[in-house]
Amino acid sequence: MSQALANFIQTYLWLIPALPLLGAIINGLFGRRLSREIVSALGISTVAISSILSVIAFFVISKVTRGTPITADLGTWFAIDRYTVSFAFMVDPLSSVMILLVTIVSTLIHIYSVGYMHGDPGYHRFFAYLNLFVFAMLV
């Protein structure tokens, strides 16, 4: 069970920053045509799912691997002769705490912002920028 959880988070680690980016893209491009409820639900749900995945990653790092970093290799960024530079995400104990903090606080900020931005004409743009900011903090 615990090794399966470690494999799961290694496989889906890239989703933690990718989901807020997806929310930013959808709200940025199509948010004007969507209702406020859909815009806010999309913004909150992408960050909340990232938050759930970060809780799992924190558990895996602290309990399953006992501090051993997890690396999710997404491919080769570039290669010169025998030297290759990979594009990868690595989570160690410190970064797992930071990911956990960023995603949970961002989820709460998103929820608060629904009421704070009520009636604002730039509602969809605000949530697009907020999701983009979360993506930038996670990367």
Side-chain angles (χ1 to χ4, degrees):
M1 170 67 177
S2 58
Q3 187 58 37
L5 198 57
N7 290 338
F8 171 81
I9 204 63
Q10 185 174 11
T11 304
Y12 295 107
L13 187 63
W14 62 275
L15 280 175
I16 294 174
L19 286 171
L21 179 62
L22 179 67
I25 290 170
I26 293 172
N27 278 338
L29 295 177
F30 307 110
R32 189 175 296 245
R33 294 181 221 133
L34 301 173
S35 68
R36 290 179 184 258
E37 291 81 17
I38 293 175
V39 168
S40 57
L42 183 66
I44 292 170
S45 64
T46 54
V47 177
I49 294 169
S50 290
S51 184
I52 292 167
L53 288 172
S54 68
V55 169
I56 295 170
F58 177 77
F59 173 76
V60 167
I61 291 293
S62 63
K63 300 293 182 192
V64 176
T65 65
R66 300 190 195 284
T68 303
I70 293 176
T71 303
D73 191 10
L74 302 176
T76 301
W77 187 23
F78 65 87
I80 300 174
D81 290 333
R82 59 185 176 172
Y83 299 106
T84 60
V85 177
S86 296
F87 182 71
F89 289 117
M90 183 186 81
V91 178
D92 59 359
L94 179 61
S95 62
S96 70
V97 171
M98 291 307 298
I99 290 169
L100 188 67
L101 181 71
V102 165
T103 56
I104 289 175
V105 170
S106 296
T107 302
L108 296 174
I109 290 171
H110 274 73
I111 293 168
Y112 173 79
S113 296
V114 172
Y116 181 76
M117 293 299 292
H118 187 295
D120 193 278
Y123 191 82
H124 71 281
R125 188 175 52 239
F126 176 80
F127 274 94
Y129 288 155
L130 196 56
N131 274 27
L132 189 62
F133 182 67
V134 173
F135 165 74
M137 285 193 301
L138 289 171
V139 171

